Amino acid sequence: MKRFLSLLCLPPLLAACSLSQVPPESGPAGQPGQPGAGAPSLTGPLVVPPLSALRDTPARTLGGRFQRANWADLPGWSNDDLSQFWTLFVRNCKGLMRPTSGNLAAPARATPRAWQPVCAAAADAAHAPTDAAAVRQFLQAHLQPWRLNGADNRPASNTVTGYYEPLVRGSRRQGGAYQWPLYAVPDDLLTVDLGAVYPDLAGKRVRGKLVGKRVVPYDTRAGIESSSNRPPAIVWIDDPVDNFFLQVQGSGRVLLTDGPDAGTTIRLAYADHNGQPYASIGRWLVAQGELRADQASMQNIRAWAQRNPQRVPEMLNANPAVVFFREEAVVDPELGPKGAYGIPLAPGRSIAVDTGFVPLGAPVYLATTWPASERPLQRLVFAQDTGTAIRGAARADFYWGFGDDAGAQAGRMKQRGQMWVLWPKQAGEPSAR
């Protein structure tokens, strides 16, 4: 999810640090997050192709170092309740068994061929594990923990923040309180893969638009709002701060309040962005002398906007970045939006990572603490999302789920944490494609 937050993952200035910047990798069929022809279905039973059918692509270099560890080295491993974990493990296997495209502009993924025997064993299990002990036994039989170290080969320790899926009120029509648009991807937005032109820039993308024969940066927020050719609005939101923070999170649910869809909740999932750098409206308010740094919370930003409605556009335009969305139905209210891995995020079991150190799809044992406390939060999670602010070894963004309670946890979370990557025993140390 990610993103525009650069160095500003400082609660309470932002409620979270996730904002998916790269859509799920396209399969051969060309649809983000969807399998191509011959790829396993993400919705049906787990079907594992034979190893010979999984073509390989060139290896991607990971920036950290991995040190073989014992299960006893994982703090709190025996206390993690895995009774509901099997379904998530099988769903993650469906993602692992998708073929990789070799596109260096996409986030690095766990090597499918390394995981084929483990996912095949999961698919062939005569009886799916139904209790925590059986799940733990399966994982310990097939996987090897590797501690993630930094470039100095010392255990990596880094910041763990949180993100969530908010709920806002919206209308498909502009009017009354509904004045703050959330846009679909504009037709004139170009994404240029620089690596396709200059191999030394593999993995680098820029966004812009065509003016005459020149590609120029895409419009800023202010430029979009003043244009006579705005992107199509999917919905209009009744609160500018809610609108802003939904863009920061990278996705959210919208309760439609009027028209034929009144009472329906839809999901807006991250689709793209305008390529402009993110700037914090909290920091802008502090620089303007409107708030002190210790007052720059979501609640105080919203209160300031209500007191100063005439200055709200000025505040929002201080951030030139705009996120574009696509509309999705909320099929299962318990599941989150799809992350950069193309798999629905699971509350409390999905994290965003820097794929230069941990590839998407890898199970990760995360050792951190609960938000704003010293109480251990030690849990097996999946690397299923990314973020522009999520940079470095052991840097993570923890997905808390949907709603106000999840938002409260995410907004308070800025802890330290360490990681162990779980990898198939027969495959050596973790690798990426």
Side-chain angles (χ1 to χ4, degrees):
M1 274 271 277
K2 288 147 127 333
R3 317 114 86 82
F4 304 132
L5 307 190
S6 64
L7 299 178
L8 185 61
C9 285
L10 301 176
L13 288 178
L14 286 179
C17 297
S18 277
L19 238 171
S20 275
Q21 191 173 34
V22 181
E25 182 181 12
S26 296
Q31 297 300 315
Q34 300 301 321
S41 167
L42 298 182
T43 56
L46 173 59
V47 177
V48 179
L51 195 60
S52 59
L54 281 176
R55 74 178 182 91
D56 206 3
T57 52
R60 307 270 290 266
T61 301
L62 295 174
R65 299 186 180 184
F66 293 97
Q67 179 181 346
R68 188 186 296 270
N70 298 314
W71 290 100
D73 298 331
L74 278 56
W77 165 246
S78 60
N79 298 323
D80 188 11
D81 182 4
L82 300 177
S83 58
Q84 305 300 316
F85 193 79
W86 185 253
T87 299
L88 304 180
F89 184 81
V90 169
R91 182 185 297 127
N92 194 69
C93 258
K94 295 175 184 178
L96 286 165
M97 290 299 95
R98 292 174 300 182
T100 53
S101 69
N103 179 8
L104 295 181
R109 282 177 43 194
T111 305
R113 290 176 61 85
W115 278 92
Q116 192 272 352
V118 176
C119 292
D124 292 342
H127 301 287
T130 57
D131 60 73
V135 174
R136 201 181 318 275
Q137 182 178 17
F138 180 92
L139 297 175
Q140 292 181 173
H142 291 88
L143 302 181
Q144 166 65 46
W146 295 82
R147 176 188 275 278
L148 176 59
N149 291 343
D152 59 0
N153 211 27
R154 300 178 63 181
S157 177
N158 210 330
T159 304
V160 181
T161 46
Y163 67 119
Y164 77 112
E165 187 179 26
L167 175 68
V168 300
R169 292 164 54 88
S171 170
R172 295 195 185 275
R173 302 176 297 180
Q174 182 181 15
Y178 299 99
Q179 297 293 330
W180 310 101
L182 292 170
Y183 293 118
V185 178
D187 291 337
D188 59 347
L189 178 67
L190 299 177
T191 300
V192 182
D193 183 356
L194 297 179
V197 182
Y198 301 104
D200 290 347
L201 297 177
K204 303 295 184 182
R205 288 175 171 173
V206 296
R207 288 164 173 82
K209 65 178 182 177
L210 194 63
V211 176
K213 295 184 178 181
R214 298 174 57 243
V215 176
V216 301
Y218 202 79
D219 296 337
T220 63
R221 180 182 299 271
I224 290 173
E225 295 306 317
S226 63
S227 173
S228 60
N229 184 31
R230 295 186 189 181
I234 302 175
V235 291
W236 301 80
I237 305 304
D238 65 351
D239 184 275
V241 179
D242 283 346
N243 180 297
F244 176 85
F245 278 100
L246 190 146
Q247 292 189 54
V248 169
Q249 298 304 317
S251 66
R253 302 185 196 184
V254 182
L255 174 62
L256 299 175
T257 59
D258 63 1
D261 295 333
T264 301
T265 298
I266 63 172
R267 170 174 285 135
L268 294 191
Y270 175 91
D272 216 322
H273 68 90
N274 65 342
Q276 296 287 342
Y278 171 86
S280 163
I281 60 174
R283 280 192 172 173
W284 181 84
L285 287 168
V286 172
Q288 295 288 312
E290 299 293 331
L291 296 176
R292 299 192 311 268
D294 62 348
Q295 296 175 323
S297 66
M298 186 189 301
Q299 293 77 12
N300 286 334
I301 292 172
R302 180 176 287 109
W304 183 92
Q306 292 171 347
R307 294 193 306 269
N308 300 275
Q310 75 285 353
R311 295 192 66 190
V312 166
E314 180 187 3
M315 174 185 72
L316 296 179
N317 289 342
N319 171 40
V322 176
V323 175
F324 305 121
F325 297 93
R326 64 179 181 273
E327 179 178 339
E328 296 180 351
V330 181
V331 179
D332 184 345
E334 298 301 315
L335 291 178
K338 291 178 181 178
Y341 185 51
I343 298 291
L345 303 177
R349 293 290 185 180
S350 296
I351 59 172
V353 297
D354 183 343
T355 59
F357 293 87
V358 177
L360 290 175
V364 174
Y365 192 74
L366 178 68
T368 183
T369 53
W370 284 79
S373 80
E374 298 298 322
R375 182 160 63 102
L377 175 57
Q378 299 159 339
R379 190 171 295 180
L380 183 54
V381 296
F382 294 104
Q384 293 178 332
D385 213 352
T386 60
T388 53
I390 314 306
R391 292 290 180 260
R395 177 72 172 93
D397 213 9
F398 187 92
Y399 178 67
W400 283 97
F402 164 73
D404 292 342
D405 290 343
Q409 295 283 38
R412 291 193 299 266
M413 191 167 197
K414 191 183 180 188
Q415 319 299 116
R416 299 295 292 180
Q418 296 184 333
M419 293 180 179
W420 288 257
V421 175
L422 307 190
W423 204 252
K425 282 186 174 181
Q426 83 291 343
E429 68 180 58
S431 61
R433 293 296 187 270

